[in-house]
Amino acid sequence: MQRWHILGVGAIGGLFASLLQEAGTRCTLLLRDSDPDLAEGTTCITLRRGERLHSYQFEASASADASPISHLLVCTKAQDIIPAIAGVAHRLAPDAVVLLLANGLGYQQQVRARWPQLDCFSGSTTEGVFREGRRAICHAGRGSTLVGQPGRETAPGWFDAWLALPIQCGWSRDIDTVLWRKLAINCAINPLTALHGCPNGELAQRAELAALVGELCAEIRAIGIAAGQEQAVSDLQTQVMAVISATANNRSSMLQDVLAGRETEIDYLTGHLLAQGREHGIEAPRNAALLAAVKALRAGTRPA
Ligand code: KPL
């Protein structure tokens, strides 16, 4: 029977572990060696949807353990993906399935280069979920999840378990476009909200921020087109404004990272975008200024 190991048990990892388990797929949570739940060997996640609370019991395993992993779901922050997989690499079956479900671009190639034997897939989700406590998450907004593998038309057999999830989840024949579109949207929203310490909706309400979003979108679109991603960036500004309006009360993941004193994903978002721009001889001064400003935010310092 298929068993998924979950690496990165934050809001997204916790949500997918709970949904998979609810749909009959067994999941094991991979925890840091110092995690107190390891003493018990099990851990519980509480998932809130509106007024309803659901509890899920999971097997817990330390990364350093020896039992083999056949299916690995990676939901860590983009910058943690390589070290996190390295920590369990000794447990991965030679042809293990690895599904990377994180913001940003760039780490996919790094994983494939370092572990070419793995069967690597990528995913992108817009499920609205946030943490309410150490193992408590709230599924606040319904979104959709797309999974794919560059160049692969049809879904592999293991994906049947994902199609059974009680959310909108599908196979994408063009996951690169899906990931690029998500990158473009994140680049237009996340750094600005992190710098201004504002919920997503303020980017539309404050005229000076709305104008900046427009300028960022124009630069991102130019890079996308040069990089052969016309489809991903068509109507970019309209798409970005729609996401801002649909997530008006949300704090972006980058703002949450800054407020919690965590490293941000900026290198895999704006950093990756600018690297693509350089490759194609396209300058993006507004995005470059945001990259520098986000990097200059001292960890734990509340943005202005
Ligand atoms: O994906 C997001 C994020 O915060 O990372 C958006 C779509 C901007 C929603 O907040």
Side-chain angles (χ1 to χ4, degrees):
M1 192 193 172
Q2 206 181 99
R3 174 186 283 275
W4 282 85
H5 282 75
I6 317 291
L7 195 50
V9 191
I12 294 290
L15 175 70
F16 279 92
S18 304
L19 295 175
L20 281 164
Q21 192 123 306
E22 189 177 314
T25 298
R26 292 165 74 198
C27 292
T28 298
L29 306 186
L30 291 164
L31 303 180
R32 288 203 179 89
D33 296 352
S34 57
D35 196 297
D37 289 354
L38 286 173
E40 300 293 326
T42 63
T43 189
C44 179
I45 289 183
T46 313
L47 175 68
R48 187 164 70 80
R49 275 197 205 105
E51 296 301 303
R52 303 185 69 169
L53 277 185
H54 309 257
S55 285
Y56 301 90
Q57 195 74 26
F58 295 96
E59 227 176 64
S61 166
S63 302
D65 281 358
S67 58
I69 296 175
S70 62
H71 294 76
L72 180 69
L73 173 63
V74 184
C75 297
T76 65
K77 292 281 172 187
Q79 64 275 10
D80 297 331
I81 287 178
I82 298 291
I85 297 180
V88 296
H90 63 286
R91 300 177 60 174
L92 289 170
D95 53 352
V97 167
V98 176
L99 172 51
L100 305 170
L101 192 58
N103 274 342
L105 280 175
Y107 55 80
Q108 295 87 348
Q109 291 83 342
Q110 294 171 355
V111 171
R112 288 195 187 96
R114 184 144 171 198
W115 296 285
Q117 76 284 8
L118 298 177
D119 199 9
C120 258
F121 295 79
S122 295
S124 175
T125 186
T126 57
E127 291 297 332
V129 53
F130 58 87
R131 274 168 95 145
E132 293 187 315
R134 195 166 145 266
R135 298 264 191 262
I137 53 180
C138 172
H139 191 189
R142 294 271 172 168
S144 64
T145 301
L146 285 171
V147 174
Q149 189 179 50
R152 182 167 186 150
E153 292 277 315
T154 52
W158 60 259
F159 194 63
D160 287 351
W162 287 69
L163 291 173
L165 298 184
I167 54 165
Q168 208 181 311
C169 183
W171 179 256
S172 170
R173 290 179 187 165
D174 188 6
I175 193 69
D176 283 341
T177 299
V178 173
L179 297 177
W180 228 100
R181 186 177 299 130
K182 182 75 169 33
L183 173 93
I185 292 170
N186 285 138
C187 285
I189 298 177
N190 295 24
L192 266 188
T193 57
L195 279 175
H196 292 273
C198 64
N200 296 352
E202 270 189 40
L203 300 186
Q205 285 147 14
R206 287 167 57 182
E208 78 282 11
L209 295 182
L212 255 173
V213 170
E215 290 170 15
L216 291 170
C217 284
E219 291 183 0
I220 297 165
R221 221 172 99 72
I223 295 175
I225 290 169
Q229 292 291 341
E230 291 89 341
Q231 211 191 320
V233 294
S234 70
D235 264 348
L236 179 60
Q237 196 170 341
T238 311
Q239 289 187 49
V240 166
M241 295 322 281
V243 172
I244 287 175
S245 140
T247 61
N249 298 323
N250 290 14
R251 283 176 169 170
S252 76
S253 53
M254 192 173 288
L255 174 57
Q256 291 181 44
D257 287 341
V258 169
L259 291 175
R262 293 189 292 259
E263 203 188 319
T264 73
E265 296 180 310
I266 193 79
D267 284 334
Y268 291 89
L269 295 174
T270 310
H272 182 84
L273 174 85
L274 292 169
Q276 294 271 291
R278 280 193 299 276
E279 214 172 281
H280 298 280
I282 298 200
E283 286 189 12
R286 292 288 186 208
N287 282 279
L290 278 189
L291 175 76
V294 169
K295 280 181 166 278
L297 281 177
R298 270 190 305 116
T301 306
R302 227 194 135 78

